[in-house]
Amino acid sequence: QLQLQESGPGLVKPSETLSLTCTVSGGSISSSSYYWGWIRQPPGKGLEWIGSIYYSGSTYYNPSLKSRVTISVDTSKNQFSLKLSSVTAADTAVYYCARHGHRGSSWSVDWFDPWGQGTLVTVSS
Amino acid sequence: EIVLTQSPGTLSLSPGERATLSCRASQSVSSSYLAWYQQKPGQAPRLLIYGASSRATGIPDRFSGSGSGTDFTLTISRLEPEDFAVYYCQQYGSSPPEFGGGTKVEIK
């Protein structure tokens, strides 16, 4: 059974860079059938897709966050990572990693399944 | 981008009742690329429905999805105590993928 687990600091100072890692177990991150994504949820609010990465390193980002986001993959460790720069209090959220499929050779996204349990990141001095 | 509007915001029902949740898109969702998720407090979202009407693995048949174009519905035929949660729709027909604001199904 595929499982995803987020890890990283729970507290980040304003203007600094948020860094999280998602470790995939029970399956290979190098599968050609899937992308690996990050989604966040501010406390009491809805869900926002941040971006996704393919095992080859191809990345796709939400235009609303693109200037501040970097997602990378380490296939040797079966992990992918998120960096979000210049954070503010508005970036306080539960951050989830999740897997999604695609529909062919060009970029596309399907439904997200499974998800990690999520990790709360608070931006505060 | 496609904006998804879910209604109602909150649905107050009793166990055993039928729940009907709506998800309306600001433009047509291609090929019915719409999913539904259930989220309980402190938990990650759980996939219920994909392709507008296909149940995910292990999802009870009291959950059903329907719709096309801009109007989609999630129906829970008879609410069980464990079904009281927040439900989100998500479109994946175009990028960026977007989620609706959610409908909370609470115990009346």
Side-chain angles (χ1 to χ4, degrees):
Chain A
Q1 180 184 356
L2 190 80
Q3 292 187 317
L4 294 83
Q5 178 68 57
E6 306 87 351
S7 59
L11 181 63
V12 181
K13 290 181 168 55
S15 80
E16 294 190 345
T17 296
L18 178 161
S19 296
L20 295 173
T21 295
C22 181
T23 300
V24 178
S25 59
S28 174
I29 202 169
S30 298
S31 168
S32 61
S33 298
Y34 300 105
Y35 280 79
W36 306 90
W38 288 97
I39 300 128
R40 70 179 184 178
Q41 184 174 37
K45 296 188 178 181
L47 299 156
E48 179 182 35
W49 172 71
I50 299 170
S52 299
I53 191 164
Y54 199 52
Y55 75 95
S56 63
S58 297
T59 53
Y60 300 89
Y61 301 135
N62 192 322
S64 66
L65 296 167
K66 187 174 183 178
S67 63
R68 299 194 291 131
V69 175
T70 302
I71 298 176
S72 58
V73 64
D74 186 336
T75 56
S76 67
K77 295 182 179 178
N78 232 30
Q79 295 177 334
F80 62 107
S81 298
L82 168 70
K83 290 187 184 300
L84 181 65
S85 64
S86 304
V87 297
T88 69
D91 294 310
T92 293
V94 175
Y95 286 76
Y96 296 100
C97 56
R99 183 186 72 174
H100 67 84
H102 62 92
R103 298 186 293 279
S105 58
S106 59
W107 161 245
S108 63
V109 60
D110 280 349
W111 56 89
F112 296 93
D113 182 58
W115 298 56
Q117 66 184 27
T119 187
L120 174 63
V121 179
T122 302
V123 178
S124 175
S125 56
Chain B
E1 69 182 47
I2 296 178
V3 176
L4 299 177
T5 301
Q6 291 188 242
S7 62
T10 302
L11 199 51
S12 298
L13 295 168
S14 300
E17 290 195 294
R18 182 185 187 90
T20 303
L21 288 66
S22 173
C23 176
R24 179 162 290 177
S26 60
Q27 55 188 282
S28 183
V29 176
S30 62
S31 303
S32 296
Y33 289 146
L34 189 110
W36 289 93
Y37 301 85
Q38 175 193 69
Q39 187 177 35
K40 297 179 181 179
Q43 296 185 16
R46 171 195 180 198
L47 177 69
L48 299 175
I49 301 286
Y50 61 92
S53 61
S54 297
R55 271 189 301 277
T57 302
I59 302 303
D61 61 6
R62 64 179 181 272
F63 290 92
S64 62
S66 62
S68 63
T70 60
D71 290 300
F72 299 87
T73 300
L74 175 70
T75 302
I76 311 171
S77 58
R78 294 173 309 279
L79 282 164
E80 297 288 340
E82 62 267 28
D83 298 337
F84 292 92
V86 179
Y87 292 83
Y88 294 95
C89 57
Q90 176 228 334
Q91 73 80 21
Y92 52 93
S94 63
S95 188
E98 294 284 354
F99 295 86
T103 290
K104 182 179 182 180
V105 179
E106 64 175 23
I107 299 176
K108 185 175 182 180

